[in-house]
């Protein structure tokens, strides 16, 4: 009697169950697709920490950048943070001899050079907060204490400093730096220094707490260590790495991967030994051995399946794609096949330390790749060009001038202080009078104006007030808004706009006939606006100016094949595959041929006639430099004459 009533109920329930199952399946499918594209806001941020042990200078920055490239190739968005344990609030007041170049960001942040590596490798636009220093952390904690934010509690390293570090990391990791909306998927953190340094202890403690705070599956630790090979026995020694990992574990951090720097690939028995004593699977022990150029490092990591180990640790294997390195491999292979070279004389103050000009070297490298040439850098100490050196050290004087005259192009980078200034002026004079392609950056532009004022205008005492405050003909002066009492962060810093005032000048054409460009600045002095009309009447052309029209940004000597000075630093925005237009112009002029660069931004096809008729003879590197198994680790060959050194070749 009740059957007619039961069947409709069963059918209705069956329909609802089927509908709910179908709805769940559709929602799961949509969420899976969104997750693969990185659109799920609920997904927790993943963190990869890169630490270093045994000695400094192992290449943590390049390793961190390469891990970022690997994760990007697997379809993830990446951001980066560099931790520097020094007490300085930023790198702005530090000598290049202390810490290499000061890299400048769009927002005016003066940061560690490793952030330049991150920007170049990953094509990011980082902020000043992506560089954490002990000074910044303590400054923020003390400011909170002064405001009474701690409600009368005793302020201590633990928990207040360590909490501040963790909060800073979590906050900055959420800032999009790749031009897209929303936070990235993975944040790669590099801890500067080596494990055991006393100044890094608060950060080690904070990161140990942080790994527990974010939870398993959201934190991966990669430890970069040294496995030396003793020449006496030719054996790879694991003991330094064992001690480093033991110390790291004692501080509350356990590595998930080991990245071992060595001159050659690790033997299998060495991996097994490291695995046994460091408690890391053999499959997660990587070898970072010497390679022809630094672009091979991400490929090394891929070939050793580093991405699989990292993705497994971070529970991302289900949403990752196979790493796509098509463009990266093409660039690496093409560069390895270059035979013809282009020689650039780098006339500077810090020629004993290539890291002082790291971004300039990378910009030259990017441009030379676009021109299909092997880059050879001849380091020319500026003071060795001066007349005083000809009396004190005639051999050094002769060698410096030989390098300058043998180069296809001359570059004078930025700098501070009066040491070597006269030598830079002589280099600019030689380039101008002998039609040698010349690029002056920041101070390089200023000395070009000084040289022109002396040689052409006849103002023999013309100078910058930086070098001679009492000069009667100041052609470079201190900026009105600058501070003469405080050094840090008081310069004209960051991205500023330059407007072209001469439409058919070489610089505008190099920038694709743009009306204006945004480039990064770092300077206290500028060309004296009161001398502009006199200089232009004599032949110089100030083709680029700021929005007021009173601050000179780009100067050219129109009758010269290529003679350009820029007050800004174009090297900071150069990228592999997208070379800085001014650097591309210099290299192209040195090669004397038209080139089309694979650029995403500016039109870098140089119009006919832009470079004039100068035709320098290109010669193979012939004894003034070296080409040993390690000579091109960066893809840059350098002269050993005049204190030349081989530079690190990160892009």
């Amino acid at each position: 009697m009740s059957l007619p009533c039961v069947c409709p109920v069963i059918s209705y329930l069956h329909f609802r169950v089927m509908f709910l199952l179908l709805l769940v399946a559709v929602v799961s499918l949509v969420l899976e697709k969104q997750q693969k594209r990185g659109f799920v806001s609920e997904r927790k941020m993943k963190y990869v920490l890169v630490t270093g042990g045994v000695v400094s200078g192992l290449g943590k920055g390049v390793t961190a950048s390469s891990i970022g490239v690997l994760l990007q190739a697997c379809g993830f968005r990446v951001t980066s943070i560099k931790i520097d344990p020094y007490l300085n609030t930023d790198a702005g007041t530090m000598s290049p001899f202390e810490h290499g170049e000061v890299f400048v960001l769009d927002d005016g942040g003066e940061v560690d050079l490793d952030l330049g590596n991150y920007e170049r490798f990953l094509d990011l636009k980082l902020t000043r907060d992506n560089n954490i220093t002990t000074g910044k952390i303590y400054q923020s904690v003390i400011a909170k204490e002064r405001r009474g934010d701690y409600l009368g509690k005793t302020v201590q390293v633990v928990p207040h400093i360590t909490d501040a570090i963790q909060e800073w990391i979590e906050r900055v990791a959420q800032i999009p730096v790749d031009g897209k909306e929303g936070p990235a998927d993975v944040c790669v953190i590099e801890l500067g220094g080596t494990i055991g340094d006393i100044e890094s202890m608060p950060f080690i403690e904070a990161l140990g707490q942080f790994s527990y705070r974010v939870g398993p599956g959201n934190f991966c630790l990669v430890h970069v260590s040294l496995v030396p090979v003793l020449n006496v026995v030719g054996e790879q020694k694991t003991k330094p790495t064992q001690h480093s990992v033991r110390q790291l574990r004692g501080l509350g951090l356990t590595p998930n991967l080991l990245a071992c720097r060595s001159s050659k690939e690790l033997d299998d028995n060495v991996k097994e030994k490291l695995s046994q004593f460091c408690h890391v699977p053999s499959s997660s022990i990587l070898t970072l051995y010497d390679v022809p150029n630094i672009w091979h490092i991400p490929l090394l990591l891929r070939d050793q399946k580093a991405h699989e180990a990292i993705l497994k640790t971070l529970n991302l294997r289900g949403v990752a794609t196979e790493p796509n390195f098509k463009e990266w491999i093409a660039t690496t292979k093409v560069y390895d096949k270059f035979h013809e070279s282009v020689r650039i004389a780098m006339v500077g103050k810090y020629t004993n330390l290539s890291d002082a000009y790291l971004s300039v070297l990378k910009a030259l490298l990017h441009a030379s790749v676009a021109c299909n040439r092997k880059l050879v850098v001849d380091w020319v100490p500026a003071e060795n060009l001066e007349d005083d050196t000809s009396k004190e050290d005639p051999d050094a004087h002769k060698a410096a001038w030989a390098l300058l005259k043998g180069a296809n192009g001359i570059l004078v980078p930025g700098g501070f202080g009066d040491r070597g200034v006269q030598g830079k002026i002589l280099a600019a004079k030689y380039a101008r009078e002998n039609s040698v392609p010349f690029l002056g950056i920041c101070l390089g532009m200023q000395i070009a104006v000084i040289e022109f004022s002396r040689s052409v205008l006849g103002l023999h005492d013309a100078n910058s007030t930086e070098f001679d405050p009492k000069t009667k003909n100041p052609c470079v002066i201190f900026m009105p808004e600058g501070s003469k009492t405080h050094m840090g962060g008081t310069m004209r810093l960051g991205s500023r706009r330059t407007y072209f005032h001469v439409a058919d000048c070489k610089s505008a054409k190099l920038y694709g006939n743009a009306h204006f460009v945004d480039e990064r600045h770092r300077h206290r002095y500028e060309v004296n606006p009161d001398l502009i009309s006199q200089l232009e009447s004599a032949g110089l052309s100030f083709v680029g100016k700021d929005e007021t029209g009173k601050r000179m940004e780009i100067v050219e000597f129109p009758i010269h094949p290529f003679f350009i000075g820029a007050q800004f630093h174009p090297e900071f925005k150069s990228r592999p595959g997208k070379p800085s237009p001014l650097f591309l112009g210099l290299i192209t002029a040195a090669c004397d041929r038209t080139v089309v660069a694979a650029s995403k931004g500016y039109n870098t096809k140089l119009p006919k006639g832009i470079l004039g008729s100068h035709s320098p003879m290109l010669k193979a590197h012939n004894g003034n430099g070296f080409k040993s198994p390690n000579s091109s680790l960066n893809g840059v060959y350098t002269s050993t004459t005049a204190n030349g050194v081989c530079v690190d070749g990160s892009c």
Side-chain angles (χ1 to χ4, degrees), residues 229-241:
V229 179
L230 298 184
N231 292 331
V232 179
V233 292
E235 182 184 358
Q236 293 175 325
K237 292 295 184 180
T238 64
K239 195 62 69 177
T241 297

Side-chain angles (χ1 to χ4, degrees), residues 70 257 283 286 300-310:
L70 193 59
L257 286 87
S283 58
L286 316 171
L300 264 186
L301 295 177
R302 181 207 60 177
D303 293 343
Q304 297 176 72
K305 301 188 182 303
H307 57 293
E308 293 184 5
I310 294 172

Side-chain angles (χ1 to χ4, degrees), residues 442-443 445-451 453 462-469 471 473-479 523-529 531 535 567:
C442 197
L443 177 61
M445 168 186 166
Q446 296 172 8
I447 63 97
V449 173
I450 293 171
E451 187 279 321
S453 300
N463 213 334
S464 167
T465 55
E466 180 182 6
F467 314 130
D468 182 7
T471 178
N473 289 290
C475 51
V476 177
I477 60 174
F478 193 82
M479 292 188 304
H523 63 106
R524 285 192 177 87
Y525 291 81
E526 62 183 356
V527 177
N528 188 349
L531 275 180
L535 289 165
Q567 184 60 73

Side-chain angles (χ1 to χ4, degrees), residues 452-605:
F452 192 87
S453 300
R454 292 179 181 180
S455 302
V456 179
L457 295 183
L459 304 175
H460 301 297
D461 65 337
N463 213 334
S464 167
T465 55
E466 180 182 6
F467 314 130
D468 182 7
K470 297 180 180 179
T471 178
K472 294 180 180 178
N473 289 290
C475 51
V476 177
I477 60 174
F478 193 82
M479 292 188 304
E481 69 271 32
S483 171
K484 292 187 177 182
T485 57
H486 289 76
M487 301 293 288
T490 59
M491 289 182 277
R492 189 166 186 253
L493 291 165
S495 182
R496 306 296 179 99
R497 184 155 291 182
T498 295
Y499 293 88
F500 289 106
H501 287 249
V502 180
D504 62 344
C505 65
K506 293 183 178 70
S507 303
K509 291 176 182 177
L510 286 167
Y511 279 100
N513 295 313
H515 296 294
F516 60 84
V517 293
D518 295 315
E519 294 280 12
R520 299 176 184 179
H521 293 66
R522 186 176 185 253
H523 63 106
R524 285 192 177 87
Y525 291 81
E526 62 183 356
V527 177
N528 188 349
D530 295 338
L531 275 180
I532 300 306
S533 59
Q534 194 175 351
L535 289 165
E536 290 195 317
S537 297
L540 276 187
S541 179
F542 291 91
V543 300
K545 302 178 182 180
D546 75 340
E547 66 279 359
T548 67
K550 296 180 180 179
R551 182 163 282 150
M552 303 302 113
E553 294 283 2
I554 306 175
V555 64
E556 293 185 9
F557 190 37
I559 63 174
H560 191 284
F562 189 90
F563 192 96
I564 294 178
Q567 184 60 73
F568 49 78
H569 289 263
E571 68 269 23
F572 291 141
K573 295 181 73 172
S574 183
R575 302 286 183 269
K578 186 184 175 183
S580 164
L582 295 186
F583 280 86
L584 182 62
L586 173 68
I587 296 296
T588 306
C591 297
D592 193 29
R593 67 193 185 104
T594 300
V595 63
V596 179
S599 173
K600 299 177 183 177
Y602 305 112
N603 173 15
T604 50
K605 183 175 181 179

Side-chain angles (χ1 to χ4, degrees), residues 62 65-66 69 72 103 115-124 293-296 298 327-335 338 358-371 570-581 583-584 596-602 604 634 649-651:
V62 175
S65 301
S66 299
V69 170
Q72 280 186 338
F103 190 80
L115 274 80
N117 282 332
Y118 304 156
E119 285 205 344
R120 286 186 290 268
F121 263 85
L122 304 171
D123 197 18
L124 304 178
N293 67 68
I294 213 70
W295 291 331
H296 285 275
E327 291 184 13
W328 195 275
I329 292 172
T331 302
T332 304
K333 287 185 176 179
V334 166
Y335 186 76
F338 292 157
L358 188 61
S359 292
V360 174
L361 287 169
K362 301 318 155 202
L364 286 171
L365 180 61
H366 302 158
S368 67
V369 170
C371 294
E571 68 269 23
F572 291 141
K573 295 181 73 172
S574 183
R575 302 286 183 269
K578 186 184 175 183
S580 164
F583 280 86
L584 182 62
V596 179
S599 173
K600 299 177 183 177
Y602 305 112
T604 50
N634 50 4
S650 55
C651 58

Side-chain angles (χ1 to χ4, degrees), residues 421-438:
V421 165
Q422 183 58 34
K424 295 176 183 179
I425 291 173
L426 291 171
K429 180 181 176 68
Y430 175 81
R432 182 180 59 80
E433 293 181 343
N434 293 276
S435 296
V436 179
F438 174 87

